Amino acid sequence: MQSRESLAVRLGTKIAALRRTRNWTQADLAERIGVDTETISRFERGATLPSLMTLEKVSYSLQVGIGELLAETSVQPDDQASMLSAW
């Protein structure tokens, strides 16, 4: 089982990457899920983990499943290509 901190960092990185692919600011995502911009910043830095209800709102807004947000692999095509070439 991974530590809470590494989960928070991995989740935050994925949220930030998905948000950027949509050309959204942190404020855009915050507005969509009904939280402060600072809350999104904390998630993306891995400083805090969202509640399950908030995680569901994030996944719905970003149009991905919760499992995809929590998965070990990256959602970025370039990251996936790097992983495959490393194998």
Side-chain angles (χ1 to χ4, degrees):
M1 175 105 181
Q2 294 208 342
S3 71
R4 180 179 175 93
E5 292 80 21
S6 66
L7 173 62
V9 169
R10 190 174 71 242
L11 177 61
T13 300
K14 287 188 179 182
I15 290 171
L18 288 165
R19 175 182 58 76
R20 287 184 191 115
T21 63
R22 286 155 179 76
N23 294 317
W24 292 351
T25 64
Q26 289 180 340
D28 292 332
L29 180 57
E31 184 178 333
R32 283 173 166 81
I33 66 170
V35 299
D36 291 333
T37 303
E38 179 59 29
T39 301
I40 300 299
S41 176
R42 283 189 220 118
F43 294 161
E44 291 185 0
R45 289 190 322 258
T48 59
L49 281 168
S51 68
L52 187 54
M53 181 181 280
T54 302
L55 184 60
E56 185 175 46
K57 289 177 184 178
V58 169
S59 71
Y60 179 79
S61 293
L62 294 172
Q63 299 177 339
V64 297
I66 291 175
E68 187 174 341
L69 289 175
L70 299 174
E72 289 282 338
T73 59
S74 173
V75 296
Q76 296 300 308
D78 290 344
D79 292 343
Q80 292 173 359
S82 295
M83 241 178 154
L84 288 173
S85 68
W87 286 343

